[in-house]
């Protein structure tokens, strides 16, 4: 049965703010933007000052606090101050990539952003939900994976990994194939939808179709209150930041692969020693296609 409520955002405060941003009311989004733009500065503001900066009311600020899982404004200030102190101890590599950046700057900014996406994804992932997904996939007669655009590569990566440990899995990136496949799933099967925004219509439709036929549904998304998350029984969230050049095809893919790798390792652990034997056999099968001396 599908979830009736979305999971609460977890992890560091600013990660939670970014995660719920699309689901906030416009006035609450203005508060969120102020917090993200200057966390340390907001930590020093009174509630009246923040309300003025965000062109809203103190009541809206309180509502914003509740939306991100903070009891009230004093707690928000304390958490912002603590996180700002932690961030100040970590060297920051610029911000967004600018048109005039040198290639050396691009390398530094891209590598820093990817490292941050992996770190923040690991900090906020729901391990209990991950354990439930691992258990479901390990026992599933069949696993369907739905991903479109950049997320299609992530779905194919998981399909290849699962096949190597004898798990029956299929990755679909064509809605006209994904929907009929979802309609053939049943109790015990697992359907995993992958979408950074959680608003990709085709992924949501495929997961809904799978749910109709009794499959366990899983969402992998950056936004826990997205339509995809609301469709799924279990939700695994990422924590990728989008900037001008780093669209969903870049940083979100790194974060999604982090979640997928954790899922795969968890499944492999459950099906040992068969997984080890299968990995050895599949490695042997392609060994003849490597140049001599390369191993």
């Amino acid at each position: 049965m599908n979830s009736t409520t979305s999971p609460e955002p977890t992890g560091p405060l600013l990660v939670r703010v970014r995660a719920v941003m699309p689901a906030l009311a416009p006035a609450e989004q203005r508060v969120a933007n102020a917090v993200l733009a200057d966390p340390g500065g907001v930590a020093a503001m009174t509630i009246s000052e923040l309300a003025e900066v965000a062109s809203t009311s103190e009541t809206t600020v309180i509502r914003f606090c509740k939306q991100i899982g903070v009891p009230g404004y004093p707690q928000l200030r304390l958490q912002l101050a603590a996180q700002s102190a932690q961030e100040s101890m970590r060297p920051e590599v610029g911000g967004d990539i600018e048109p005039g950046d040198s290639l050396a700057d691009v390398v530094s900014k891209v590598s820093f952003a990817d490292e941050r996406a992996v770190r923040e994804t690991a900090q906020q992932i729901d391990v209990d939900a991950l354990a439930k997904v691992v258990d479901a996939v390990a026992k599933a007669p069949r696993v369907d994976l739905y991903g479109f655009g950049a997320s299609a590569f992530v779905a194919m990566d998981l399909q290849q990994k699962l096949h190597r440990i004898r798990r029956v899995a299929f990755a679909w990136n064509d809605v006209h194939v994904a929907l009929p496949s979802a309609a053939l799933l049943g109790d015990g099967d697992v359907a995993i939808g992958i979408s950074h925004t959680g608003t990709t219509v085709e992924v949501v439709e495929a997961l809904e179709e799978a749910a109709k036929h009794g499959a366990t549904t899983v969402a992998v998304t950056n936004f826990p209150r997205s339509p995809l998350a609301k469709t799924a029984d279990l939700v695994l969230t990422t924590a990728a930041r989008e900037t001008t050049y780093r669209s969903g095809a870049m940083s979100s893919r790194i974060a999604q692969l982090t979640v997928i790798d954790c899922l795969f390792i968890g499944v492999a652990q459950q099906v040992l020693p068969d997984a080890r034997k299968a990995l050895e056999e599949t490695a042997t099968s392609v060994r003849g296609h490597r140049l001599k001396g390369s191993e």
Side-chain angles (χ1 to χ4, degrees):
M1 183 176 296
N2 293 346
S3 303
T4 55
T5 59
S6 300
E8 287 301 309
T10 57
L13 179 65
L14 298 182
V15 172
R16 300 202 305 269
V17 173
R18 285 190 292 272
V20 302
M21 273 279 283
L24 296 178
E28 294 168 348
Q29 287 187 351
R30 293 198 297 272
V31 178
N33 284 326
V35 168
L36 292 173
D38 187 10
V42 172
M45 292 181 186
T46 65
I47 189 170
S48 299
E49 290 170 337
L50 177 56
E52 183 176 354
V53 167
S55 301
T56 189
S57 66
E58 294 180 15
T59 301
T60 299
V61 174
I62 296 299
R63 283 202 305 269
F64 165 77
C65 293
K66 302 293 185 184
Q67 291 276 24
I68 60 172
V70 178
Y73 190 65
Q75 292 84 356
L76 176 67
R77 293 180 64 186
L78 286 172
Q79 291 188 34
L80 282 173
Q83 188 159 348
S84 295
Q86 290 175 356
E87 291 296 327
S88 68
M89 299 174 66
R90 184 181 290 116
E92 181 79 18
V93 182
D96 198 357
I97 297 173
E98 302 295 337
D101 282 348
S102 67
L103 279 177
D105 290 335
V106 169
V107 170
S108 295
K109 289 182 177 182
V110 168
S111 60
F112 176 82
D114 285 350
E115 182 274 333
R116 181 173 58 190
V118 172
R119 168 167 43 85
E120 292 185 345
T121 293
Q123 288 174 335
Q124 59 79 56
I125 193 167
D126 185 338
V127 178
D128 290 337
L130 177 62
K132 292 177 182 177
V133 176
V134 165
D135 186 61
V137 171
K139 296 175 180 176
R142 173 176 152 187
V143 179
D144 258 18
L145 306 161
Y146 313 122
F148 296 82
S151 296
F153 298 104
V154 179
M156 287 188 287
D157 181 77
L158 180 55
Q159 177 196 20
Q160 185 265 347
K161 284 182 167 69
L162 290 175
H163 270 178
R164 287 199 62 189
I165 58 172
R166 303 186 206 275
R167 301 297 99 186
V168 178
F170 302 94
W172 307 113
N173 60 8
D174 181 334
V175 69
H176 296 283
V177 183
L179 287 174
S181 180
L184 295 177
L185 297 179
D187 291 342
D189 293 326
V190 175
I192 302 177
I194 306 170
S195 169
H196 172 72
T197 63
T199 59
T200 305
V201 174
E202 294 85 352
V203 178
V204 174
E205 287 179 344
L207 220 59
E208 288 175 340
E209 185 66 29
K212 289 179 186 177
H213 299 276
T216 297
T217 53
V218 180
V220 179
T221 179
N222 209 71
F223 301 102
R225 296 180 184 175
S226 63
L228 181 63
K230 293 177 181 178
T231 300
D233 297 313
L234 297 166
V235 180
L236 301 177
T237 51
T238 56
R241 307 186 192 189
E242 298 299 315
T243 59
T244 302
Y245 287 95
R246 300 191 54 71
S247 68
M250 299 175 70
S251 61
S252 67
R253 185 184 65 240
I254 300 298
Q256 289 170 347
L257 287 171
T258 299
V259 172
I260 291 306
D261 283 349
C262 292
L263 170 58
F264 167 71
I265 294 298
V267 173
Q269 287 178 325
Q270 285 211 13
V271 298
L272 284 175
D274 184 57
R276 183 180 288 113
K277 184 173 184 294
L279 287 170
E280 291 172 354
E281 290 174 345
T282 53
T284 300
S285 71
V286 295
R287 193 162 289 147
H289 289 266
R290 294 179 180 174
L291 295 175
K292 291 183 179 180
S294 64
E295 295 184 8

